[in-house]
Amino acid sequence: MATQIFRRSRTLIQKNLPLLLGSAFNKSTFFTSTFQYSGVPFVNPATFFCFSRFESTKAEARLNIQNYVSEDENNNQGIDFPGGKVAFTSEMRFISDSDHKRVPCYRVLDDNGEITKFSNYVQVNKEMAVKMYSNMVTLQTMDIIFYEVQRQGRISFYVTSAGEEAVNIASAAALAFDDIILPQYREPGVLLWRGFTLQQFADQCFGNTSDFGKGRQMPIHYGSNEHNYFTVSSPIATQLPQAVGAAYSLKMDGKSACAVTYCGDGSTSEGDFHAALNFAAVMDAPVIFICRNNGWAISTPVEEQFRSDGVVVKGQAYGIKSIRVDGNDALAVYSAVHTAREMAIREKKPVLIEALTYRVGHHSTSDDSTKYRPNDEIEYWKMARNPVNKFKRWVERNGWWSDKDEMEIRSSVRKQLLEAIKLAEKEQKPPLEDMFKDVYDQLPSNLKEQERQLRETIKKHPIDYPSDVPL
């Protein structure tokens, strides 16, 4: 019976949901307009097959899947091993290192901003769509202006989200405010969506007295308790295991919320990534892992990072429902994250989302990406697959946006941001004593000694220290 259902599902998918070749990310990557989470019945068996945790292994054992099950296993012989019964086979056969076909990439909008055929997606109304697009434009404008400010030497560092605006804004729109966010460093759009003001962004980048971090963090290391947004941490992937712990805490408290954590493809080369996925799967933690696979971990291309089919299959390996989505398609990202959130909270289990996107800008203001990747590749993703332009076409086609609206928002955001920067730059820096506060209730003797030595050194060499920091 299970085999018949499986075959019927496969036939239905193959007949009615044709996979569209179209990913410039890799010509062997398919786009599909239908949700395909691993571990659920609607996964295309011709593409991949994955195991999830079963209460009983009887139904699974009856599935005659090539490369995993042979005729010898129908004799019911096997071993009752911890975790489930394992069948024996007389044939020595190794599991393939990879499938011939890559896991398809779920999308809703094509490159012209039109809904693809047979699209299965979460509906977005006018109010939500306009807010999403407005936030994408705001984030885009922020990046342009703050990048110029850094180049003028007015702030020390900056990281843009150019090319990844859809992952930022659409994922944020699909979440609830009570969901806890543990970002990497390229998700300011999530904080923007939650109400962090342009003035607060500027204050953090300039590290003044209004900065929540009191000037003790590098620019773009945002954080806000008010917005359930953990402070950005520079070390790669450290936020991932922390997110699992936060999610498990929500589960213990019976909260109808989840933890959501972001990372880049480079993070999957860190041990914390694998520890976090295994931790989440074993503990059934309601956490969503969103990986921005933008093709480059600074100067390292994905083909030099792993031999597997990207990131999505890594979730399968740990027993986590996973999906690959077009990260430049705001509707696809919104639909995938919205559905993943429902699953994570309802089932109290983790979900992994791999968003295929592209980092159009340099990795940071300390990087020159033209040294390691071709200009025509950058221009292709910047123009042909721009997520902001794609979503704009869809909003315009619905009659929800006009050229007048476009001019007004871009002009307004630019004026607001320039004024915020002007105010942030004039505001006083935090006092020296703030370097030693907020860790201990009573300052310990070693920190008191460090502060004393620092003040003495500044008195001896005042020219080597900034004059705008109150002593």
Side-chain angles (χ1 to χ4, degrees), residues 233-304:
S233 177
S234 290
I236 300 297
T238 55
Q239 73 278 7
L240 302 180
Q242 297 167 3
V244 181
Y248 192 68
S249 176
L250 292 171
K251 177 180 177 179
M252 291 179 64
D253 292 340
K255 298 292 182 64
S256 182
C258 64
V260 183
T261 185
Y262 296 78
C263 68
D265 49 278
S267 296
T268 67
S269 296
E270 295 286 342
D272 279 352
F273 173 83
H274 301 275
L277 263 62
N278 192 55
F279 182 20
V282 171
M283 301 303 293
D284 288 333
V287 55
I288 302 175
F289 299 95
I290 301 178
C291 178
R292 296 173 286 92
N293 185 350
N294 59 28
W296 294 90
I298 308 183
S299 59
T300 304
V302 290
E303 57 265 24
E304 294 182 13

Side-chain angles (χ1 to χ4, degrees), residues 300-319:
T300 304
V302 290
E303 57 265 24
E304 294 182 13
Q305 285 193 74
F306 36 71
R307 288 290 177 266
S308 64
D309 178 14
V311 179
V312 66
V313 294
K314 299 181 189 296
Q316 174 188 351
Y318 287 104

Side-chain angles (χ1 to χ4, degrees), residues 437-454:
K437 289 183 175 180
D438 300 330
V439 177
Y440 300 97
D441 181 40
Q442 297 293 327
L443 201 65
S445 59
N446 64 315
L447 290 183
K448 290 181 180 179
E449 178 62 19
Q450 289 179 27
E451 182 179 359
R452 185 190 64 78
Q453 291 178 354
L454 177 58

Side-chain angles (χ1 to χ4, degrees), residues 382-441:
K382 183 177 181 180
M383 304 305 296
R385 305 218 64 241
N386 188 299
V388 182
N389 295 344
K390 178 191 288 191
F391 193 61
K392 177 186 177 183
R393 295 187 192 106
W394 181 75
V395 177
E396 286 180 329
R397 192 171 286 110
N398 287 322
W400 298 341
W401 198 255
S402 66
D403 291 340
K404 181 182 178 182
D405 296 325
E406 186 77 13
M407 292 177 61
E408 287 179 352
I409 189 172
R410 290 191 180 275
S411 175
S412 175
V413 171
R414 181 176 178 82
K415 288 179 180 178
Q416 291 178 56
L417 195 54
L418 291 176
E419 181 63 23
I421 290 172
K422 181 180 178 181
L423 295 175
E425 198 167 22
K426 289 182 177 179
E427 193 164 346
Q428 193 177 45
K429 299 294 183 183
L432 182 68
E433 62 183 14
D434 278 0
M435 288 181 62
F436 304 92
K437 289 183 175 180
D438 300 330
V439 177
Y440 300 97
D441 181 40

